[in-house]
């Protein structure tokens, strides 16, 4: 199966390494980052591209843009893993539209286009007889979307709720463990690379809210936007609040929740019993899905990281190869 990769940062390089390590018989015929691109119908030398990137060089030709790769390369699947923009989804949204318009499958880790334009992109994919897959947009390595679409097919989901942001979970874990202030825990998270220099998207609950919108629209057939999510972050939490929770044998976690029948989407800090399966440590994610047939199921795993995100992307690629490309 021939693929092109847009985005050669942490996630893109993680995908390239996984392809090399796993001998997955995936030929990369196009590759681009924000500064350069490559197109080679015979297949790009991924090891050489990784070496160039690791040395701080361009991954390809500065005259070849991501749009060129989408429009001109010969491929079956576009792998779109450029940075997320939730204001208008661009430029990723344009790349995805162009690939679907060429009757190419799309696999993406980019939350922006899926949160903002899922119904349009789904319809475009269906009209062109191709797949749009986006497992990596929610909870990293946890196959949550696949489980809900495939494994829980036929179930009615009455509620789902969980820890969707590893940065916040790490901060809250450290505040509870060592009575750190929010500022101290955030500084530690930054030092370890878990928090960005500007952590607003994480700590204000925006990242978790975006993931709720994706699940609501793509899995639960709700027509929602980020403005529909009630949202409270963790910036005002104090060690004293966590100690009060501790006195009740509880702790505090930033919980995202969807109740489809009531049209409820919300993100807020909640007091949770320590024995609850959602009380996970460090940067883990955990999501409980309440269903009528299967009962309550909880999914726990790593929600971010280049290798973990690559796992979700590779899973989507192999799904497409098994379901469509080999049978076409």
């Amino acid at each position: 199966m021939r693929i092109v990769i847009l985005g050669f940062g942490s996630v893109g390089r993680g995908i390239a390494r996984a392809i090399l390590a796993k001998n997955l018989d995936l030929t990369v015929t196009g590759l681009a980052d924000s500064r350069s691109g490559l197109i080679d119908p015979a297949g790009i030398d991924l090891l050489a591209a990784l070496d160039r990137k690791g040395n701080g060089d361009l991954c390809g030709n500065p005259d070849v843009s991501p749009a060129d790769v989408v429009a001109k390369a010969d491929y079956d699947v576009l792998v779109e893993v450029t940075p997320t923009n939730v204001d208008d989804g661009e430029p990723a949204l344009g790349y995805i539209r162009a690939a679907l318009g060429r009757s190419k499958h799309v696999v993406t880790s980019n939350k922006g286009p899926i949160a903002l334009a899922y119904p349009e992109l789904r319809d475009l994919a269906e009209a062109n007889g191709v797949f749009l897959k986006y497992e990596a947009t929610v909870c990293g390595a946890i196959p949550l979307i696949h489980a809900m679409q495939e494994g829980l097919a036929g179930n009615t989901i009455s509620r789902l709720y969980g820890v969707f942001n590893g940065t916040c979970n790490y901060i809250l874990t450290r505040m509870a463990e060592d009575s750190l202030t929010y500022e101290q825990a955030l500084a530690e998270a930054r030092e370890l690379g878990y928090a960005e220099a500007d952590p607003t998207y994480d700590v204000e609950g925006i990242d978790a809210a975006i993931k709720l919108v994706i699940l609501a629209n793509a899995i639960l057939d709700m027509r929602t936007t980020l403005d529909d999510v009630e949202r409270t972050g963790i910036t005002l939490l104090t060690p004293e609040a966590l100690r009060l929770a501790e006195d009740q044998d509880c702790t505090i976690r930033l919980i995202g929740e969807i109740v489809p029948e009531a049209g409820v989407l919300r993100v807020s800090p909640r007091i949770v019993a320590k024995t609850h399966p959602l009380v996970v440590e460090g940067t883990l994610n955990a999501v409980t899905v309440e269903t009528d047939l299967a009962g309550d199921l909880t999914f726990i795993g790593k929600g971010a990281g280049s290798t973990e995100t690559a796992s979700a992307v590779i899973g989507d690629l192999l799904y497409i190869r098994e379901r469509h490309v080999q049978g076409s």
Side-chain angles (χ1 to χ4, degrees):
M1 186 167 72
R2 302 157 301 168
I3 70 171
V4 298
I5 302 174
L6 295 192
F8 209 50
S10 175
V11 174
R13 295 198 300 275
I15 293 165
R17 293 188 192 101
I19 290 171
L20 290 169
K22 293 288 186 177
N23 191 24
L24 297 172
D25 196 24
L26 298 172
T27 301
V28 179
T29 58
L31 175 66
D33 59 16
S34 60
R35 299 187 299 156
S36 64
L38 281 171
I39 296 174
D40 187 343
I44 291 167
D45 184 338
L46 290 179
L47 195 55
L50 286 166
D51 287 342
R52 288 194 298 272
K53 192 75 172 182
N55 292 329
D57 298 330
L58 298 178
C59 74
N61 185 338
D63 294 327
V64 177
S65 70
D68 292 332
V69 171
V70 174
K72 299 175 183 178
D74 188 13
Y75 59 97
D76 301 301
V77 189
L78 166 66
V79 177
E80 202 293 316
V81 291
T82 64
T84 290
N85 169 9
V86 296
D87 293 326
D88 61 11
E90 297 296 352
L93 182 53
Y95 301 149
I96 292 172
R97 283 181 177 134
L100 294 174
R102 288 189 66 195
S103 296
K104 308 299 184 183
H105 307 285
V106 172
V107 173
T108 187
S109 64
N110 199 318
K111 294 184 285 290
I114 304 302
L116 293 171
Y118 174 75
E120 174 208 336
L121 296 177
R122 177 199 59 204
D123 293 347
L124 186 57
E126 289 178 356
N128 286 279
V130 291
F131 284 109
L132 170 66
K133 301 292 286 180
Y134 43 90
E135 183 68 67
T137 61
V138 179
C139 294
I142 304 173
L144 179 65
I145 290 170
H146 180 82
M148 293 171 69
Q149 287 180 327
E150 305 286 332
L152 295 175
N155 278 263
T156 297
I157 295 171
S158 57
R159 180 184 180 219
L160 70 84
Y161 60 106
V163 173
F164 288 92
N165 185 271
T167 300
C168 288
N169 205 62
Y170 180 84
I171 290 170
L172 293 173
T173 298
R174 295 295 293 126
M175 288 177 69
E177 285 178 345
D178 288 340
S179 297
L180 301 183
T181 65
Y182 164 78
E183 290 77 13
Q184 289 170 326
L186 173 60
E188 186 176 286
R190 280 200 182 108
E191 288 175 11
L192 293 170
Y194 297 150
E196 301 289 342
D198 180 359
T200 302
Y201 267 43
D202 294 320
V203 299
E204 295 290 352
I206 300 169
D207 175 71
I210 293 165
K211 293 168 182 174
L212 291 187
V213 169
I214 290 172
L215 293 175
N217 292 347
I219 307 300
L220 301 171
D221 201 26
M222 300 167 68
R223 295 298 179 101
T224 63
T225 69
L226 196 55
D227 291 337
D228 297 318
V229 184
E230 301 172 33
R231 179 172 50 81
T232 304
I234 66 168
T235 56
L236 299 180
L237 281 177
T238 63
E240 290 73 24
L242 284 150
R243 278 197 293 272
L244 287 171
E246 178 77 25
D247 291 342
Q248 304 173 55
D249 202 25
C250 295
T251 191
I252 296 176
R253 290 291 185 264
L254 185 70
I255 301 296
E257 179 182 28
I258 305 175
V259 184
E261 188 172 343
V264 169
L265 292 90
R266 58 187 162 216
V267 177
S268 61
R270 306 275 190 92
I271 295 175
V272 184
K274 287 185 177 180
T275 55
H276 196 286
L278 292 185
V279 180
V280 291
E281 303 300 310
T283 59
L284 290 175
N285 286 183
V287 180
T288 294
V289 183
E290 296 181 356
T291 75
D292 58 343
L293 302 178
D296 296 357
L297 301 96
T298 300
F299 302 84
I300 299 172
K302 294 182 178 180
S306 61
T307 302
E308 293 78 9
T309 305
S311 169
V313 170
I314 293 295
D316 279 347
L317 284 169
L318 298 184
Y319 179 97
I320 290 171
R321 185 167 69 184
E322 294 300 319
R323 300 301 194 283
H324 189 97
V325 173
Q326 288 187 351
S328 61

